[in-house]
Amino acid sequence: AALEAARLRAVRSLAGTFRTHCAALGVKRSCAFFENWLWSVRGEGTAASVVPALPLPEAASQAQLALARRLEHCGLSEQAARAAC
């Protein structure tokens, strides 16, 4: 139970950081973007038998590129969107 609680705190902390950065950039749908990114990036590591709660995506992963596109659609420049990822 302690390990699961620690994982939940880590995901919540990352979500809070994500929300803060998105708000500073003027992005309003940060929760949906975060959830989509998290599930996508976790899905990219399905070859492993254990999927970490907070995966470390590759810089050019499909999840990172999809998140950058979503941020661009919110009005960020391509450079700002990629830097945010």
Side-chain angles (χ1 to χ4, degrees):
L3 179 59
E4 193 62 29
R7 288 179 180 155
L8 178 59
R9 283 191 303 272
V11 171
R12 283 184 176 169
S13 176
L14 181 60
T17 300
F18 189 87
R19 184 175 38 255
T20 300
H21 286 292
C22 283
L25 296 170
V27 177
K28 297 184 193 289
R29 297 186 316 245
S30 64
C31 185
F33 290 169
F34 177 75
E35 289 178 0
N36 286 333
W37 170 82
L38 183 61
W39 284 107
S40 295
V41 78
R42 289 183 79 203
E44 289 176 352
T46 57
S49 60
V50 176
V51 179
L54 296 175
L56 297 174
E58 299 291 323
S61 75
Q62 294 301 313
Q64 296 295 94
L65 296 174
L67 177 58
R69 281 194 304 274
R70 286 186 182 101
L71 293 174
E72 285 178 46
H73 286 149
C74 289
L76 269 64
S77 68
E78 180 179 351
Q79 182 181 11
R82 292 192 187 267
C85 293

